[in-house]
Amino acid sequence: MTDTTPTSAPAGAANTAPSGGGIDLSGRTAVVTGGASGIGRACVRRLALAGAHVVVLDLDADGATAAAAEVGGQAHPVDLGDPAGLDALERLDALREADILVNNAGLQHVAPVEEFPVEKFALIQRVMLEAPFRLARLVLPGMYERGWGRLVHVSSAHGQRASAYKSAYVAAKHGLEGLSKVLALEAAGRGVTSNTICPGYVRTPLVEKQLAAQAQAHGVPEEQVLEDVLLARTPLKRLVEPDEVAELVAFVCGPATTSLTGVALTLDGGWTAS
């Protein structure tokens, strides 16, 4: 496991005066899983902008290192789907020092239940449910001792709704919702909150590849695939931007949310309103 700590941050990184839209996380340490790209990368940048020292956990060692270097943070490459990788986290000092934990890492596999690979189902549960549990277990003692902490779990509209052929993903996200509520109850009165962020389809490289592939397969424009397939149940016909998710994550970590705990904050263009 590699610890990459740049000796100095680039201009505009976390060691400059924060200009985080009224959210000041100076002196706080934030751990972000899946921080090398997509939503996680946006969270790394946004939390650093607010003044936090950010620790990036990701399977992609190069991506994690680049994300951390951008904001003057630390990178710890780790495979959250590997039991040995999860065990190794217990030796990571950064987790005991964490004031903020953003559980964001995830993956997807689409197949009917009767064809769904058992090992793939188990992997998705490890990455998206067991890892958040084990990370929370590691960061909570320090948060309790300091009397302040923010557990933020990037869930999904699929934590509130189901879609066919996504049994592992939906099961993991529903489990994450339950875990967050239990954490909120146990941490109540100790300065620690636990909440989930539930976006709809987000503009990430994975989603954009799906759009391109389906457009080519069906011989239709990507915009038509977006509206008729991915956003069929969403009134607002556009993808959520990673920066929108990161902004909500930063707000949940801010000073005005001490009573905000045990809730799911949706950012889904109205999907779950119907």
Side-chain angles (χ1 to χ4, degrees):
M1 191 171 290
T2 304
D3 182 352
T4 303
T5 309
T7 55
S8 61
N15 63 352
T16 63
S19 57
I23 299 171
D24 185 359
L25 299 175
S26 300
R28 305 293 189 188
T29 296
V31 174
V32 180
T33 71
S37 63
I39 294 172
R41 186 69 171 265
C43 289
V44 168
R45 290 170 174 154
R46 183 63 184 88
L47 294 173
L49 180 65
H53 174 72
V54 185
V55 179
V56 182
L57 304 185
D58 202 289
L59 176 64
D60 177 3
D62 291 340
T65 299
E70 181 183 348
V71 300
Q74 294 172 272
H76 293 279
V78 60
D79 183 355
L80 297 177
D82 180 1
L86 292 175
D87 291 341
L89 291 175
E90 298 189 9
R91 301 189 294 273
L92 191 59
D93 289 340
L95 291 175
R96 287 185 285 275
E97 300 166 358
D99 303 294
I100 296 165
L101 170 63
V102 180
N103 282 312
N104 166 73
L107 67 156
Q108 178 65 279
H109 185 80
V110 179
V113 168
E114 67 274 18
E115 299 174 9
F116 209 102
V118 172
E119 65 278 7
K120 183 68 72 173
F121 188 95
L123 172 64
I124 290 174
Q125 305 315 303
R126 281 198 301 274
V127 172
M128 293 167 53
L129 186 54
E130 182 181 348
F133 160 74
R134 293 185 63 168
L135 286 165
R137 186 172 178 271
L138 292 172
V139 302
L140 278 173
M143 290 180 176
Y144 288 158
E145 182 179 348
R146 293 183 294 273
W148 196 95
R150 296 290 183 266
L151 305 174
V152 188
H153 319 280
V154 180
S155 180
S156 166
H158 279 114
Q160 313 291 322
R161 297 288 188 272
S163 289
Y165 312 121
K166 297 180 179 180
S167 57
Y169 189 89
V170 171
K173 292 301 188 185
H174 274 67
L176 187 61
E177 295 291 334
L179 174 63
S180 178
K181 291 176 182 178
V182 170
L183 291 168
L185 294 178
E186 293 188 7
R190 307 181 76 169
V192 178
T193 65
S194 176
N195 297 286
T196 62
I197 309 296
C198 301
Y201 287 101
V202 181
R203 190 183 303 280
T204 61
L206 179 63
V207 169
E208 290 184 329
K209 287 178 183 178
Q210 290 180 39
L211 286 174
Q214 291 201 38
Q216 183 176 8
H218 295 285
V220 298
E222 289 187 20
E223 293 78 9
Q224 186 174 338
V225 174
L226 182 65
E227 291 194 16
D228 295 347
V229 181
L230 263 63
L231 302 179
R233 294 180 286 178
T234 303
L236 186 60
K237 300 299 182 183
R238 72 168 181 83
L239 295 173
V240 179
E241 299 296 334
D243 286 346
E244 293 180 87
V245 183
E247 193 65 38
L248 189 52
V249 169
F251 169 76
V252 169
C253 295
T257 57
T258 56
S259 295
L260 183 69
T261 192
V263 301
L265 301 172
T266 57
L267 193 69
D268 62 4
W271 177 358
T272 56
S274 59

